[in-house]
Amino acid sequence: MIIKKYAFILIAWYFLFISFYISYFIGVEQPFLTNSLFYFFVIPYYGFGAMVWSVFSGVGIFIFLASVVSSVLWLKKGKLVYLYLLPIIGLISGGIFRYIAT
């Protein structure tokens, strides 16, 4: 049962990176890849890179703390709302970081 919870956390963090990427890089020229399946790996990679970059502005600290707290609450209480918070945190913080960075 605990392995299933960890799998859900990994999936939720994946969507956190994707939502941060979408919120931060929307409207920017996207990389061209030969195979569309590569976007499955590239988008979270760029989202994670931008998230690490956002640590230096202070937004990334909020992202990581809020995401870890949400993941721990999911492990303790088991309510799905804590997993749904991760992509929402990514969308909001990506938009804030884009506003700060530009």
Side-chain angles (χ1 to χ4, degrees), residues 4-102:
K4 190 175 181 181
K5 283 188 174 186
Y6 286 129
F8 279 125
I9 287 176
L10 285 175
I11 293 168
W13 276 79
Y14 179 81
F15 284 115
L16 170 77
F17 297 143
I18 289 174
S19 62
F20 189 87
Y21 174 86
I22 289 170
S23 182
Y24 181 70
F25 289 107
I26 194 141
V28 178
E29 185 177 341
Q30 303 299 318
F32 177 73
L33 300 173
T34 56
N35 188 351
S36 61
L37 186 61
F38 290 151
Y39 287 104
F40 184 73
F41 300 106
V42 170
I43 289 175
Y45 175 74
Y46 282 159
F48 177 74
M51 195 179 297
V52 169
W53 183 39
S54 71
V55 169
F56 300 109
S57 70
V59 176
I61 296 169
F62 164 76
I63 298 167
F64 287 119
L65 287 177
S67 301
V68 168
V69 167
S70 180
S71 298
V72 168
L73 285 174
W74 159 250
L75 286 174
K76 297 275 185 184
K77 300 193 181 206
K79 294 185 179 179
L80 282 177
V81 71
Y82 298 118
L83 288 181
Y84 293 137
L85 282 177
L86 287 169
I88 294 169
I89 290 169
L91 283 173
I92 293 170
S93 57
I96 291 171
F97 182 59
R98 181 179 178 135
Y99 180 74
I100 290 172
T102 56

